[in-house]
Amino acid sequence: MRAAKGAIEAAAGRVPGVASQVAEADFGRGHGGAFAAYRNGFAALSDAVQAYAGELARFGSSVDVAAGRYASIEGEHVDTARNTANR
């Protein structure tokens, strides 16, 4: 999840950069009116990808906390089992 989060955040950071490389003149005279929708669509896409990356980060943190608790409980059970066996 951490790797996926990093890749998604990197992609989210590049989306506005890609959109800024395209100018209205690139759409030509016949399609110039579509430029505003294109730019707005890229902005919305960037926001959505960044929000998804944030949710992955929060979920990854929850999994880390759960994994730590699980490891701690397992350690306690191992200690209990060993102490019981040594009686």
Side-chain angles (χ1 to χ4, degrees), residues 76-87:
E76 290 173 15
H77 290 179
V78 167
D79 289 342
T80 300
R82 286 186 180 146
N83 289 338
T84 300
N86 291 333
R87 289 184 190 173

Side-chain angles (χ1 to χ4, degrees), residues 21-28:
Q21 294 172 11
V22 179
E24 189 170 357
D26 295 327
F27 278 68

Side-chain angles (χ1 to χ4, degrees), residues 52-85:
Y52 180 63
E55 288 302 317
L56 277 181
R58 283 185 279 285
F59 183 64
S61 295
S62 296
V63 170
D64 282 346
V65 168
R69 289 181 181 159
Y70 179 81
S72 175
I73 290 169
E74 280 296 299
E76 290 173 15
H77 290 179
V78 167
D79 289 342
T80 300
R82 286 186 180 146
N83 289 338
T84 300

Side-chain angles (χ1 to χ4, degrees), residues 8-9 12 44-58:
I8 288 172
E9 283 179 329
L45 176 64
S46 174
D47 292 345
V49 171
Q50 289 173 344
Y52 180 63
E55 288 302 317
L56 277 181
R58 283 185 279 285

